[in-house]
């Protein structure tokens, strides 16, 4: 059971509050002078079309923290032009999509989840023109661009909330959740979600600077859909929806995964699919991932990532859960090893404490299973968190492009906004590109076999079996069956698979040195798989 999303903002909160103190202002207090305005204009769907392949949504994706990926102008902060300059790297890695953590104008000045303007780009990252350029450059490489969208809450500095919090009679009051008296009996993630505002209390479970929208107000829902169309009309390929378990609250004991949340997401999915071609939507609903997948189209497979790591360490119970996961989970799940949130786990290399053999097995497992795999930026080179940091900032360090000799890991010509990864000297793109059999080359090879074999890219899931510290599973699509055998143990093991074409030949497609295997007269095959290794075969059907 993952810990709670509130941990995502714990340290960011402190940083943002410090920034606010420095600015001499806060969002919870009163305002003087004219109230701010913002864009509430209706946006009509106008699909520019998609030139991406029909199955780009199957990934893999890279999750990118733009602030931490590549700085282009020496201010120490990653930006959209920097990301554009790294698209060839991402194409060579083999990804077909990138998810950008929020790039909209934010109050927090860090993670971006405190959105100040839903229709503009964070100035530190660039402009709308830069976003358009990124989308065009990504599309030219067969890569789709998915933006983070935060529907549950805005920044307290968002003009809508500044208006709403100005007093009881403001026209935007009902865009947020206010109570004239302090409600009692509430506890969300261990805290009281009600905060003191002007002429009442407002609901903000994640942070007092991130007030929840009132998503029972249809005007607010319609405006969010207009915001989504604003980006879709620019050619953006979809969204990752933040905190969908928290959209609507019905009371102190009914504040999570409420029925309205699924309806809201289903309506958005219908709008997007009804008006735009070839888009991708994925939801973050950590406590109900399987339930959100059908409503959203895809949902992150929270929980599965822990089993992937434990399985790679040889935990037989976890191997069993990895084997059976897709027996019930839909193939539309989006899988991962880790992400930007501490509640999902440390950076993978920290979870494996440097054990790269185990790391490779975990990566291969989820890259070969069904689902849409997401690779957290730098995971493919084994980036650790920053030694000097803790919490979420530890996970969100600048990308390690080169060794630390220049002091910036190749991320910036200036001073990086945050400490570098602890292992930038050893695990960086430059050194791994120069080394055969690097972790990066392993990722590329596994992704390449996934993309080359239709059964691995889009096939169904069948015949999954765990035995001791081994796992085998099969994927099938029209005309092809793939067989994946993984030995997590430290000694060689005989792995069996059945239900195959009698007397057929399994053609080895991974590793490059692998040998073919003969299927017996009743459709069974047994292969001796070396310690801590992966073998992949295909057979025509
Ligand atoms: Ca910059
Ligand atoms: Ca909410």
């Amino acid at each position: 059971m993952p810990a709670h999303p509130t941990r995502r903002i714990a340290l960011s909160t402190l940083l943002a509050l410090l920034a606010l103190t420095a600015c001499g202002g806060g969002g919870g207090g009163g305002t003087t002078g004219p109230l701010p305005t913002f864009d509430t204009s209706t946006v009509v769907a106008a699909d520019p079309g998609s030139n991406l392949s029909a199955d780009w949504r199957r990934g893999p994706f890279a999750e990118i923290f733009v602030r931490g990926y590549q700085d282009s102008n020496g201010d120490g902060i990653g930006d959209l032009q920097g990301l554009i300059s790294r698209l060839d790297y991402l194409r060579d890695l083999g990804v077909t999509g990138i998810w950008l953590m929020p790039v909209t104008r934010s109050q927090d000045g860090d993670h971006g989840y405190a959105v100040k303007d839903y229709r503009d780009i964070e100035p530190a990252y660039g402009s709308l023109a830069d976003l358009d350029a990124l989308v065009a450059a990504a599309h030219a490489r067969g890569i789709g661009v998915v933006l983070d969208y935060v529907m549950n809450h805005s920044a307290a500095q968002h003009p809508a909330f500044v208006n709403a919090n100005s007093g009881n009679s403001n026209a935007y009051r009902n865009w947020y959740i206010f109570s004239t008296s302090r409600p009692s009996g509430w506890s969300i993630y261990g805290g009281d979600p009600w905060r003191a505002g002007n002429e009442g209390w407002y609901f903000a479970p994640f942070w007092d600077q991130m007030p929840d929208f009132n998503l029972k107000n249809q005007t607010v829902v319609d405006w969010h859909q207009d915001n989504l169309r604003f980006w879709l009309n620019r050619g953006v390929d979809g969204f990752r929806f933040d905190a969908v378990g928290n959209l609507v609250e019905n009371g102190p004991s009914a504040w999570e995964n409420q029925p309205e949340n699924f309806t809201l997401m289903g309506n958005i999915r219908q709008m997007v699919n009804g008006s735009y071609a070839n888009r991708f939507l994925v939801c973050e609903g950590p406590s109900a991932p399987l339930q959100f997948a059908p409503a959203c189209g895809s949902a992150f497979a929270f929980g599965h990532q822990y089993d992937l790591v434990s399985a790679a360490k040889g935990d037989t119970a976890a191997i069993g859960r990895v084997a059976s996961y897709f027996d019930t989970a839909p193939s539309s799940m989006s899988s991962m090893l880790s992400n930007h949130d501490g509640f999902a786990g440390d950076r993978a290399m920290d979870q494996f404490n440097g054990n790269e053999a185990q790391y490779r097995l975990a990566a291969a497992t989820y890259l070969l299973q069904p689902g849409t795999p997401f690779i957290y930026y730098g995971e493919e080179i084994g980036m650790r968190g920053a030694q000097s940091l803790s919490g979420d900032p530890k996970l969100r360090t600048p990308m390690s492009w080169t060794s630390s000799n220049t002091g910036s890991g190749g991320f910036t010509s200036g001073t990086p906004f945050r400490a570098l990864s602890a292992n930038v000297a050893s695990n960086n793109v430059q050194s791994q590109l120069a080394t055969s059999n690097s972790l990066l080359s392993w990722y590329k090879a596994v992704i390449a076999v996934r993309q080359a074999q239709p059964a691995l890219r889009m096939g169904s899931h069948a015949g999954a079996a765990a035995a001791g510290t081994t796992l085998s599973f099969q994927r099938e699509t029209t005309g092809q069956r793939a067989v994946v055998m993984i030995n997590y143990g430290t000694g060689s093991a005989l792995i069996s698979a059945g239900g195959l074409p009698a007397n057929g030949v399994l053609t080895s497609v991974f590793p490059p040195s692998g040998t073919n295997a003969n299927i017996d007269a009743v459709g069974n095959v047994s292969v001796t798989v070396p310690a801590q290794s992966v073998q992949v075969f295909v057979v025509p059907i």
Side-chain angles (χ1 to χ4, degrees), residues 289-290 299-305 307 319-330 333-335 369-370 461 464:
L290 298 183
F300 286 107
F302 285 100
H304 189 49
Q305 85 276 19
D307 285 332
I319 295 168
R321 291 191 294 273
V322 168
S324 63
Y325 184 77
F326 283 101
D327 291 350
T328 50
M333 298 306 293
S334 287
S335 50
Q369 278 196 311
H461 184 244

Side-chain angles (χ1 to χ4, degrees), residues 312 349 352 354-363 439 442 487-488 531-534:
M349 190 56 98
F352 287 114
N355 188 322
E356 195 173 309
Q358 294 173 347
Y359 195 125
R360 290 177 184 225
L361 296 175
L439 182 62
W442 172 265
N487 179 7
Y488 300 107
Q532 292 185 305
S533 70
V534 178

Side-chain angles (χ1 to χ4, degrees), residues 67 70-80 82 123-126 411-412:
R67 184 172 295 269
Q70 178 66 58
D71 176 26
S72 71
N73 61 356
D75 67 357
I77 297 172
D79 46 56
L80 294 173
Y125 297 167
F411 162 74
T412 178

